[in-house]
Amino acid sequence: MSDVQRAPKGTFDRLPPDSATYLAVRDGLVAPLLTAGYGYIETPVFEETAVFSRGVGESTDVVSKEMYTFDDRGGRSLTLRPEFTAGVMRAFIEHRLFAGALPAKLWTVGSAFRYERPQAGRYRHFTQVSVEALGVDDPALDAELVALADAGFRGLGLTDYDLQLTSLGDATCRPQYRELLVDFLAGLDLDEETRARAAINPLRVLDDKRPEVQAQLADAPLMVDHLSEGTRAHYDAVRQHLSDLGVTWVEAPRLVRGLDYYTKTTFEFVHRGLGAQASIGGGGRYDGLSAALGGPDLSGIGYAVGVDRTLLAVQAEGLDVPVTGGTDVFVVHLGADAKRFAVRLVGQLRAAGVAADTVYGGRGLKGAMKAADRSGAARVVVVGERDLAEGVAQVKTMATGEQVAVPLGELADRLRASV
């Protein structure tokens, strides 16, 4: 099988039965949004490259190193989405959602793509739940977003994580802070690539994970110590609302995150059981993003949660996330007439909302019962030619092993009632 095609490096296939847990985690992260007035939005898996280079920022690793960019047959430069916010903002502007009720509360879920070294908890293809509230600058809205993300994790039973929180200021105080930081960085021993990054956005240097760089940053000035009066009041209000909502956090004055568009409130959820790739989600306010993409000068705030990372966190804590779906009733048939009956019964049960299945491919009783056991069905119906002649079917309750004969005319109703 040496010539068998395989998934590209850094990607994966998600297969049953494990995929059921993945879906349960994804839906658990979405559940709080459905009670908070957020509507579903879907955007293309690829966009014009400028959406991300202008929106995410030229100085970021995402734009400079990690994007899957290609020219289509018409010569247009397109990029597989490395994140969702820029594309959602593009749709917000293109379809003039800013002319309607604000904030526009939106959520989406799907795959994103970044070219980076594959490692545990970090893939080139990954899934995110992304949430945005656009058009209103209100610290209470910031707190709502943070609390919704926290509620998603708590709803799954996660406890071994920290919410890191800071403020990255805005146009009223960032320029003055930038000058302080540029002066500080000028005195450090940095390589040319890092200096080039600092020339575009010096804050990005604070996000450098290399120990030799971090050691030189111990005395770097921090944005949170140089907030303007207005941004300080905004940050204080966010923290007050979070306290009122029962959400706890730790101050993280060095938190930058990997995208250029963040302003004011910035946050990240870090799980203590995941090692180096500890982030399971995060976000912040991006008051200049709409204008950068050619739209009105409106504010926004959002976050993204990694479904794959959250699943790893669930596994790290040994949590048993309830899954939906599966099979309630499995019908085993013996003989041609019994097969016709089984197919009809399964159709009736499914029409009534009962998850039902049967065996295919002409297996014998032993193989059919193995299939029934693998299905996880709570009840197995066995019907053969002799049963049909007697007008009954055998119904076995798998948990107890109890088996009873049920008249065929009562079978569907009895099975529906037992689910």
Side-chain angles (χ1 to χ4, degrees):
M1 297 181 63
S2 60
D3 59 345
V4 172
Q5 297 297 308
R6 302 184 183 277
K9 183 178 181 180
T11 68
F12 52 85
D13 299 308
R14 204 172 289 286
L15 308 172
D18 295 338
S19 54
T21 303
Y22 160 81
L23 290 174
V25 169
R26 182 198 68 184
D27 294 346
L29 294 171
V30 169
L33 310 174
L34 305 182
T35 65
Y38 286 74
Y40 179 73
I41 183 173
E42 188 165 324
T43 60
V45 74
F46 58 86
E47 298 269 2
E48 292 186 5
T49 300
V51 169
F52 301 116
S53 60
R54 292 168 60 189
V56 175
E58 296 282 4
S59 73
T60 64
D61 285 347
V62 172
V63 171
S64 64
K65 299 179 181 180
E66 298 172 0
M67 295 202 310
Y68 281 93
T69 297
F70 58 95
D71 289 340
D72 71 1
R73 294 188 179 185
R76 292 171 289 266
S77 179
L78 302 175
T79 296
L80 296 179
R81 63 187 176 209
E83 57 94 54
F84 284 85
T85 299
V88 171
M89 183 63 83
R90 188 270 311 152
F92 172 79
I93 297 167
E94 179 178 346
H95 300 286
R96 297 184 59 81
L97 299 186
F98 54 82
L102 298 177
K105 292 183 169 185
L106 307 168
W107 72 272
T108 190
V109 62
S111 296
F113 307 87
R114 296 184 189 178
Y115 188 89
E116 51 191 347
R117 184 171 65 85
Q119 52 191 296
R122 198 174 188 93
Y123 308 101
R124 293 174 175 174
H125 154 224
F126 52 95
T127 306
Q128 287 186 339
V129 173
S130 188
V131 185
E132 323 292 341
L134 308 177
V136 172
D137 183 0
D138 186 334
L141 190 59
D142 296 23
E144 174 179 283
L145 266 288
V146 176
L148 287 172
D150 187 65
F153 296 133
R154 296 290 175 189
L156 293 170
L158 291 171
T159 58
D160 194 22
Y161 66 88
D162 291 318
L163 164 59
Q164 298 183 350
L165 186 71
T166 194
S167 173
L168 291 179
D170 64 7
T172 66
C173 50
R174 281 272 279 274
Q176 295 89 336
Y177 170 70
R178 178 189 173 103
E179 290 184 11
L180 290 173
L181 185 58
V182 167
D183 289 344
F184 176 84
L185 296 176
L188 303 187
D189 181 19
L190 302 175
D191 58 83
E192 290 304 314
E193 182 180 351
T194 304
R195 289 204 178 280
R197 179 184 300 172
I200 301 172
N201 183 358
L203 269 174
R204 297 288 297 121
V205 180
L206 299 180
D207 196 39
D208 197 310
K209 301 298 189 295
R210 291 173 295 177
E212 64 271 22
V213 176
Q214 281 298 315
Q216 299 183 70
L217 296 173
D219 297 324
L222 301 174
M223 182 70 250
V224 74
D225 294 328
H226 296 85
L227 298 177
S228 65
E229 184 177 343
T231 52
R232 171 64 63 184
H234 186 281
Y235 189 41
D236 288 344
V238 170
R239 290 182 289 186
Q240 182 61 64
H241 288 304
L242 287 175
S243 295
D244 293 342
L245 291 168
V247 177
T248 58
W249 70 91
V250 294
E251 295 288 344
R254 294 182 178 273
L255 178 62
V256 176
R257 291 190 52 79
L259 308 176
D260 278 359
Y261 50 58
Y262 288 119
T263 59
K264 294 182 182 173
T265 308
T266 306
F267 58 96
E268 187 164 56
F269 292 90
V270 177
H271 195 275
R272 293 186 285 271
L274 296 186
Q277 303 302 328
S279 175
I280 52 178
R285 181 161 285 284
Y286 38 84
D287 288 347
L289 181 58
S290 177
L293 292 175
D297 189 12
L298 292 174
S299 60
I301 184 169
Y303 69 82
V305 170
V307 181
D308 316 290
R309 296 268 189 93
T310 304
L311 177 58
L312 290 176
V314 165
Q315 294 167 344
E317 293 195 32
L319 300 175
D320 184 16
V321 179
V323 300
T324 58
T327 304
D328 297 317
V329 176
F330 195 94
V331 184
V332 171
H333 52 78
L334 302 170
D337 290 338
K339 182 174 183 177
R340 287 188 62 193
F341 174 82
V343 170
R344 187 167 63 250
L345 175 62
V346 166
Q348 291 172 343
L349 291 172
R350 290 173 178 172
V354 177
D357 202 359
T358 189
V359 65
Y360 297 97
R363 301 183 193 180
L365 178 60
K366 184 176 180 180
M369 291 305 295
K370 282 185 177 180
D373 188 56
R374 284 195 297 269
S375 76
R379 287 169 180 77
V380 174
V381 177
V382 181
V383 58
E385 302 297 318
R386 182 181 300 175
D387 296 304
L388 291 179
E390 296 176 0
V392 298
Q394 309 300 318
V395 178
K396 182 177 181 179
T397 301
M398 300 300 281
T400 63
E402 179 186 9
Q403 182 169 306
V404 296
V406 177
L408 297 181
E410 302 175 14
L411 184 58
D413 288 339
R414 293 267 290 269
L415 290 169
R416 283 196 297 268
S418 68
V419 174

